[in-house]
Amino acid sequence: MAATFELNDDSVVVVIGSGAGGGTLSNELAQKGVKVVLLEAGGRHEIEDFSNDEWGMFGQISWLDKRTTSGSWRVAKDFSGLPAWIVKAVGGSTVHWAGASLRFQEHEFKVKSIYGDIPGANLLDWPISLAEMEPYYDRAEDKLGVTGTHGIPRLPGSNNFRVFAAGAKKLGYKDFHTGNMAINSQPRDGRGACQQIGFCFQGCKSGAKWSTLYTEIPKGEATGNLEVRPSSQALQIQHNAAGKVTGVLYADKDGKQHVQKARVVAVAGNSIESPRLLLNSASAKFPDGLANSSGQVGKNYMRHMTGSVYAIFDKPVRMYRGTTMAGIIKDEAGNKPERGFVGGYEMETLSLGVPFMAAFLEPGAWGRDFASAMEGYANMAGMWLVGEDMPQEKNAITLHRAEKDQYGLPVPNVHFDDHANDIAMREHAYKQGSAVYEAVGAVRTFRTPPYPSTHNLGTNRMSEKASDGVVNKHGQTHDIANLFISDGSQFTTGAAENPTLTIVALAIRQAEYIAERMAKNEI
Amino acid sequence: MSKSVMGRRAFLATTSGAIVLVAGGNLVIGGNGAWAMSTKALTGDEAAMLVRMARATYPHAMLDDTIYGKVIHGLDEKAASDPALLRSLQEGAATLKDKKFETLDEAGQEAVLKAIESSAPFQTVRGECVVGIYNNPDVWKVLGYEGPSAELGGYIDRGFDDIDWLQDA
Ligand SMILES: Cc1cc2nc3c(=O)[nH]c(=O)nc-3n(C[C@H](O)[C@H](O)[C@H](O)COP(=O)(O)OP(=O)(O)OC[C@H]3O[C@@H](n4cnc5c(N)ncnc54)[C@H](O)[C@@H]3O)c2cc1C
Ligand code: SF4
């Protein structure tokens, strides 16, 4: 049975955000007998509430609170009020995610040592290695039921994949398949197999795709150690004179404010809200915000080098039939500086429905040329390009000077400029992506610019030294022993891979650490 | 658009793009008489001009004017309680009237719109159209998109991998 805890119960761990990081951490702690209150800003919408409706689902559960943008990135022009596509609901962005679940490569944990000094890039090695992460990757893959790992068969290839794979083969690529997906290819863990519905971004109606909403969270609740409070947005983390955090001020669905006392606080609001919350929690003792002695809170915002290639053929493809992202070419993922940039990128199949295609294919475009592209929709194939981007200190989440949200708190501004390395990589990726489709007869290809960021990373980064970053190798803030960061904002650098498997692996590892320290009364 | 006129009948009358819009008072009538809409805030002439603008912005010969009319109808409803929006739409219609927009061919119309591309009236109509047109199930059918599939059991048994023209597949 789901637990309920008193507001003044100061023995609980308060987790903020119920997505990949916070949802996993909450369950892992609850399984170990630790009492958890999980505060989630969004509502609780179960599978029955999902619909195969792109704009409908977007409007229902996206984080649409006011945000501003700046910088030379194209998103600031195309989607100035929507820098990121993040879910505000129980389950967080794991409700909308596509399920691509990849491990980082060994070198991606130590890029400063390997890439050297790149002008303008604030590179740093992670304080952990792939070898240390491997057992946790194993557990994360098992938890998510990742295809192509642990003897779980891969998904069958859809039309969109078959075009992609045929092009890859023609081009001489070797390492391509239907991916490592957190989508059941056969029934597993009480959930059925993928029905190839094709609306993975709208919430999986069959539950085949892993989401904390219907895995971690109910499992945690079943222990009797976890209370989930939906529609409860954390506004401020409070601390005592000794500099330990003591509780979280939050607003309930009616806007009424409460303080939940806490023994430990773990922040997992994704990489825009997590640093914003630390900055908005500034006090006389911590005038620059909590855990910010390094000055790195909110800095080094990464969003992956991204872009898409769509191609029109003279015969039908019907890419929308089947999983949204089950297809990958990995040949470009390694670090091969001879291509003119450091780091690498993945090519992953991607399909959008007509409503989203119209908005995203070429944002702002209209006229005959655009209309004729839409008329080619049934004959279209598509892929997403995702690669390592360079952390830059000036790319940052900051508090807006004038704009306030519904609680009177400063809204976040998201500043981003592409690094020269990002631009060179994108150019290469567009060229290769187009070549894949041209190899099998594409009559027209499109270089689609980045969507609002789905991979938001790095704004509370992990570092060996307290002066270089915000958290240590366990996600524990360098400054405050009982304050943790449990989402992708911990990432020291971004790697080429989709981030969620790593977020989950870090959360599993962090839960062990927190439970151990609590047992030893060290926090 | 009153439901009775804007219903199924409109779609039975599939026509080419060459529809003559007849406007007068607060009524817009498709050239073949198959559909009509009455407006709340805009005049019939203004609404008819905006329907032409919508079509010229996303020109699909295979789409009936009804599709574009629906979007302008939605804007008219909003404008009834939003004076700033109404002024903007009126301004847009007046600009096109000055240019004798209805007499121009497609390329001529595109050139006129290009010149006002960054104006508020154009961006308002464009923004409304890009959702209003492409989020319309009747348009999906024409473009060959099958829409929601969960109720039908997904595509697992309905052709998710049925491509038959790939040599390597
Ligand atoms: C369309 C889409 C497709 C994606 N596909 C993939 C993929 O294939 N593979 C992959 O690896 N990743 C994918 N991602 C990214 C993936 O969803 C994220 O990396 C992951 O969910 C991030 O986990 P998180 O815990 O950091 O944040 P989230 O999962 O976003 O969860 C954050 C939660 O915190 C809540 N919150 C924020 N602030 C507060 C506050 N102040 N108080 C209370 N609650 C708060 C939010 O409402 C939200 O529920 C995709 C994302 C999207 C949008
Ligand atoms: S394609 Fe598969 S994973 Fe995606 S929504 Fe459908 S059933 Fe779920």
Side-chain angles (χ1 to χ4, degrees):
Chain A
M1 262 311 290
T4 50
F5 297 105
E6 298 291 324
L7 287 171
N8 61 10
D9 183 343
D10 60 6
S11 70
V12 299
V13 174
V14 174
V15 177
I16 299 167
S18 62
T24 303
L25 178 68
S26 298
N27 180 32
E28 290 286 315
L29 288 172
Q31 298 296 337
K32 295 180 201 306
V34 176
K35 292 182 279 176
V36 178
V37 172
L38 173 52
L39 300 176
E40 167 53 54
R44 190 160 183 162
H45 306 276
E46 303 290 353
I47 291 179
E48 309 81 80
D49 307 331
F50 299 167
S51 57
N52 286 180
D53 175 351
E54 292 186 312
W55 285 122
M57 282 307 291
F58 178 83
Q60 187 185 345
I61 65 169
S62 296
W63 188 286
L64 299 172
D65 295 14
K66 192 171 176 71
R67 284 172 174 162
T68 60
T69 47
S70 59
S72 58
W73 58 326
R74 172 110 189 232
V75 170
K77 170 174 167 272
D78 292 340
F79 311 100
S80 60
L82 190 76
W85 182 6
I86 290 172
V87 172
K88 181 181 192 175
V90 174
S93 305
T94 67
V95 177
H96 273 183
W97 80 314
S101 302
L102 306 172
R103 295 183 180 203
F104 284 12
Q105 304 165 70
E106 189 176 7
H107 76 270
E108 289 170 330
F109 285 101
K110 39 188 184 190
V111 292
K112 170 130 180 137
S113 307
I114 289 176
Y115 301 167
D117 276 327
I118 309 271
N122 195 16
L123 289 176
L124 197 67
D125 289 350
W126 286 65
I128 18 178
S129 64
L130 178 62
E132 281 170 271
M133 284 296 286
E134 268 166 353
Y136 298 97
Y137 272 138
D138 267 333
R139 286 166 60 183
E141 285 165 345
D142 181 53
K143 182 189 276 296
L144 273 58
V146 178
T147 60
T149 75
H150 301 86
I152 301 169
R154 289 195 202 276
L155 288 160
S158 69
N159 289 330
N160 199 24
F161 172 75
R162 291 178 64 190
V163 174
F164 176 84
K169 192 170 172 194
K170 270 253 167 79
L171 223 58
Y173 282 143
K174 299 279 181 274
D175 195 4
F176 56 89
H177 46 70
T178 60
N180 299 108
M181 304 299 295
I183 295 179
N184 279 350
S185 54
Q186 56 192 27
R188 189 175 190 275
D189 197 23
R191 294 177 291 115
C194 172
Q195 300 301 303
Q196 302 287 342
I197 295 170
F199 285 82
C200 308
F201 282 0
Q202 282 63 48
C204 179
K205 283 298 278 183
S206 83
K209 180 186 81 177
W210 180 84
S211 168
T212 55
L213 173 64
Y214 41 79
T215 59
E216 304 308 301
I217 288 167
K219 285 182 188 179
E221 286 175 325
T223 65
N225 295 320
L226 170 61
E227 178 186 352
V228 180
R229 286 186 207 151
S231 305
S232 298
Q233 184 161 336
L235 308 177
Q236 185 194 44
I237 300 170
Q238 303 185 335
H239 64 80
N240 61 19
K244 289 278 172 338
V245 295
T246 54
V248 177
L249 174 73
Y250 72 95
D252 67 19
K253 65 178 190 323
D254 304 315
K256 233 179 124 217
Q257 299 192 0
H258 311 271
V259 174
Q260 173 63 53
K261 293 277 174 220
R263 178 167 168 190
V264 171
V265 173
V267 184
N270 207 325
S271 292
I272 299 177
E273 291 308 312
S274 289
R276 176 183 180 228
L277 183 58
L278 297 184
L279 295 172
N280 271 335
S281 300
S283 63
K285 189 172 177 71
F286 299 113
D288 299 324
L290 293 190
N292 198 17
S293 64
S294 65
Q296 295 291 307
V297 170
K299 304 280 171 67
N300 311 303
Y301 170 66
M302 293 173 287
R303 53 153 344 264
H304 271 146
M305 179 298 294
T306 65
S308 307
V309 174
Y310 291 96
I312 295 180
F313 295 83
D314 55 10
K315 297 213 183 70
V317 175
R318 300 195 182 92
M319 66 172 170
Y320 57 84
R321 292 184 177 176
T323 47
T324 302
M325 198 171 256
I328 191 164
I329 301 172
K330 299 188 65 70
D331 294 70
E332 301 286 358
N335 176 40
K336 293 174 245 171
E338 62 277 14
R339 289 176 298 186
F341 53 88
V342 296
Y345 62 89
E346 311 277 355
M347 301 155 109
E348 300 174 351
T349 53
L350 175 64
S351 159
L352 301 178
V354 163
F356 273 7
M357 188 59 76
F360 294 121
L361 178 64
E362 178 60 51
W366 57 275
R368 163 64 52 196
D369 198 53
F370 177 79
S372 71
M374 290 304 294
E375 288 177 7
Y377 178 80
N379 297 2
M380 239 181 228
M383 71 168 80
W384 197 49
L385 306 162
V386 52
E388 178 164 23
D389 61 341
M390 291 292 109
Q392 302 181 70
E393 203 169 286
K394 64 177 175 171
N395 288 345
I397 311 306
T398 52
L399 300 179
H400 198 284
R401 286 205 185 102
E403 300 272 5
K404 301 275 198 300
D405 72 2
Q406 61 270 42
Y407 306 109
L409 295 172
V411 308
N413 182 67
V414 182
H415 180 93
F416 191 87
D417 297 312
D418 285 304
H419 188 277
N421 196 77
D422 309 344
I423 295 170
M425 184 190 290
R426 183 176 291 117
E427 183 58 32
H428 192 274
Y430 275 145
K431 216 170 113 254
Q432 292 308 111
S434 306
V436 165
Y437 292 132
E438 279 154 6
V440 280
V443 292
R444 193 171 167 191
T445 58
F446 302 86
R447 294 177 161 206
T448 293
Y451 313 122
S453 315
T454 54
H455 298 174
N456 297 278
L457 306 166
T459 49
N460 292 305
R461 74 176 181 182
M462 198 181 263
S463 64
E464 188 72 56
K465 285 192 260 162
S467 55
D468 287 336
V470 181
V471 299
N472 68 15
K473 64 196 290 189
H474 298 286
Q476 182 178 33
T477 63
H478 288 300
D479 298 353
I480 302 174
N482 64 341
L483 176 62
F484 289 77
I485 305 292
S486 317
D487 59 16
S489 68
Q490 297 173 81
F491 282 25
T492 309
T493 52
E497 292 74 20
N498 315 53
T500 305
L501 184 74
T502 302
I503 294 173
V504 170
L506 288 171
I508 296 171
R509 184 168 174 272
Q510 184 179 70
E512 273 182 9
Y513 181 82
I514 291 177
E516 261 171 48
R517 301 294 125 157
M518 284 175 76
K520 290 187 186 150
N521 264 321
E522 290 174 10
I523 50 176
Chain B
M1 231 166 281
S2 66
K3 266 232 174 69
S4 54
V5 220
M6 247 311 293
R8 196 143 289 282
R9 199 147 62 84
F11 299 105
L12 295 174
T14 322
T15 57
S16 73
I19 287 181
V20 186
L21 294 169
V22 184
N26 63 348
L27 198 68
V28 184
I29 304 170
N32 55 5
W35 65 276
M37 76 186 207
S38 58
T39 56
K40 277 192 187 155
L42 296 161
T43 66
D45 286 327
E46 286 165 343
M49 192 60 90
L50 295 176
V51 173
R52 288 186 194 98
M53 178 176 177
R55 173 180 284 287
T57 305
Y58 294 109
H60 292 289
M62 67 246 268
L63 295 184
D64 193 283
D65 263 345
T66 324
I67 302 290
Y68 301 99
K70 258 192 188 169
V71 179
I72 301 307
H73 177 70
L75 272 172
D76 175 68
E77 296 251 300
K78 282 192 207 165
S81 58
D82 182 345
L85 173 62
L86 178 60
R87 272 196 305 281
S88 175
L89 294 175
Q90 288 169 331
E91 188 194 312
T95 308
L96 299 190
K97 192 175 174 199
D98 281 351
K99 305 276 186 203
K100 299 201 170 27
F101 195 73
E102 69 279 12
T103 67
L104 304 174
D105 64 7
E106 193 191 291
Q109 290 191 338
E110 189 163 321
V112 167
L113 294 181
K114 193 83 206 160
I116 59 162
E117 185 177 29
S118 54
S119 71
F122 178 79
Q123 284 304 332
T124 303
V125 173
R126 192 199 68 76
E128 201 76 8
C129 280
V130 78
V131 177
I133 295 171
Y134 299 108
N135 203 28
N136 180 339
D138 295 308
V139 175
W140 299 347
K141 268 180 225 139
V142 176
L143 294 178
Y145 173 54
E146 294 166 275
S149 83
E151 306 72 56
L152 305 170
Y155 290 104
I156 184 102
D157 298 318
R158 298 190 312 124
F160 78 101
D161 63 350
D162 66 354
I163 195 163
D164 59 5
W165 52 265
L166 269 178
Q167 278 175 2
D168 263 10

